[in-house]
Every structure is written in structure tokens, then in C-alpha cells.
Amino acid sequence: MVPLSYLPSDNQPEVMQAGRVLRERAQRADSVIYLESGRVLFGLLEAGQLRHQLGMVEGPVWLDAAQVLMDQAYTVDIVADTQVSVRRIPLEDFHEAYSKLNKDTKALVRDMAAGYCQQTELAVSRLAQDAEARCAQWLLRHAAPAEDGSLQVTLQQRKRLIAAQLGIAPETFSRVLRHLREHGLIAGTGNVLSLPQPAALQNVARC
């Protein structure tokens, strides 16, 4: 990425313990993190827990330089899996070091950063689709005929318990239900949900 020799030498490493959140998704960069040693996990935090792990790296490596180069917010959370030693490089210093690379190297690094960001966004998108599929499967499995012949589901448990059965956070379950409602795949309020388009819901369940 960017050679450390191009950066100011007065930047001192920080030592952090396992479990420390180094970056939160949707956060805008205030610095660039270089992992000198230790191991970190990439994934999605839900209710303080890393419910979905998307990757793991060990230092030495740049952790979030790709998002900085593409001027994007983080799409994943970064959590220390072991004790880690990191350097937080100010944005100004990082961009100045990047500008010292020759033209061809800068183009190559930028292309690699763009590809990395696209792959990360795709992985996060697939996780969301997986949650929708599991919720759709659960709804269809618990559906029963209503008096008018349509299908409906009675939520006999609290949503957090249903979410636990599905292996997702309660916030994710609520978000998926809201998304399905917006697309007309479920309707109703309270504990009784109707399924006006079971065939379409079945398609979601197969994703």
C-alpha cells in the first residue's frame, strides 16, 4: 500500500487488548490504521457481539487504507481478536505519502482499493440477503390459513426470541420485517402478520 518509510517517524504505536473495536461501520475516517502485530476480525457487530465474521488478518498490514483512498465510510466493523499494536496515521500524512508514489503505482494501488471495497460491500449485501431468506423461511413455516383463505402468522414469542432462533440480532429481525412490509410481502400490525404474496415470499426464502 503506502511504505511506512514515507510517513513521519514520530507516530508511536498503541497497544490494545482483545475485544477492542478499532473501527465501526458507517464511520468516516479520522485516521488510517496500520496493524503492526496481532490479529483482527472483520465483520458486523450486533448488540456488542461480532455476529457475522467476514474475514481475519494478522499484522503487519493496513486495515482501512482502501476506504480512505476511495473516500468511503467503513462497511464493516474491525475488532481486535488478540492483543494488537497499531499506528493511527493522520489523514494528511497518509495522503501526502500516497502522493509520493509514482503514477503507475498510484493507479495500481487505487484499483486494488476499489476492488477491495466492492468485494466487501458485496459480502455485506449477501449477509443481509441471507437474513431475509431465513426470516422468509420462518414466516412460511409458521403460516396458517386465515378465515378468508389467506395466510397469516401469529407471533407467539417475543421478537428477540425469534431472532435468536434465526441466529440474527433483534435489530436485524426488525429491519428485515420492515423491509418485507415495505415490499408488500407482509402486512398487519401487532402479533398477527398476513402474507399477501406467499409466492413472492417463497422466492425470497430461496435466495
Side-chain angles (χ1 to χ4, degrees):
M1 185 62 75
V2 175
L4 284 180
S5 59
Y6 286 18
L7 295 163
S9 59
D10 58 352
N11 187 279
Q12 297 301 310
E14 303 174 52
V15 176
M16 302 179 184
Q17 300 305 312
R20 179 75 175 271
V21 179
L22 305 183
R23 284 293 189 226
E24 295 181 0
R25 65 183 185 275
Q27 189 181 45
R28 278 285 175 179
D30 55 1
S31 60
V32 189
I33 299 178
Y34 182 79
L35 177 66
E36 288 196 329
S37 63
R39 183 174 63 244
V40 303
L41 304 175
F42 296 92
L44 302 182
L45 284 169
E46 294 179 350
Q49 299 294 321
L50 196 67
R51 304 285 186 184
H52 306 286
Q53 183 179 328
L54 295 173
M56 175 182 68
V57 297
E58 295 186 357
V61 65
W62 291 99
L63 293 183
D64 52 2
Q67 285 82 4
V68 170
L69 285 175
M70 302 309 297
D71 192 26
Q72 294 183 5
Y74 304 113
T75 51
V76 296
D77 300 300
I78 305 177
V79 182
D81 189 42
T82 65
Q83 178 176 289
V84 298
S85 175
V86 302
R87 291 179 187 266
R88 294 185 183 271
I89 311 300
L91 294 182
E92 183 178 352
D93 291 343
F94 179 79
H95 285 300
E96 182 178 352
Y98 175 71
S99 69
K100 295 177 181 178
L101 301 175
N102 65 55
K103 181 180 177 181
D104 291 340
T105 302
K106 283 196 290 187
L108 174 62
V109 169
R110 191 170 182 83
D111 286 347
M112 293 175 63
Y116 173 83
C117 290
Q118 290 171 0
Q119 290 297 318
T120 304
E121 290 171 359
L122 179 61
V124 172
S125 174
R126 285 178 174 170
L127 272 181
Q129 291 174 353
D130 180 55
E132 282 195 358
R134 278 181 279 168
C135 288
Q137 291 166 4
W138 187 92
L139 289 168
L140 290 166
R141 191 165 59 247
H142 291 81
E147 293 182 0
D148 61 1
S150 63
L151 292 178
Q152 67 178 26
V153 176
T154 301
L155 304 181
Q156 298 178 343
Q157 297 176 305
R158 293 182 179 275
K159 289 182 179 179
R160 63 179 180 83
L161 295 178
I162 298 173
Q165 294 174 25
L166 296 172
I168 59 179
E171 296 83 358
T172 302
F173 184 58
S174 296
R175 185 168 63 249
V176 169
L177 290 181
R178 184 168 60 251
H179 181 74
L180 295 176
R181 191 186 304 277
E182 289 171 351
H183 285 76
L185 300 183
I186 63 173
T189 57
N191 293 331
V192 180
L193 303 175
S194 61
L195 311 182
Q197 301 184 62
L201 192 62
Q202 186 68 53
N203 289 334
V204 175
R206 292 171 181 158
C207 291

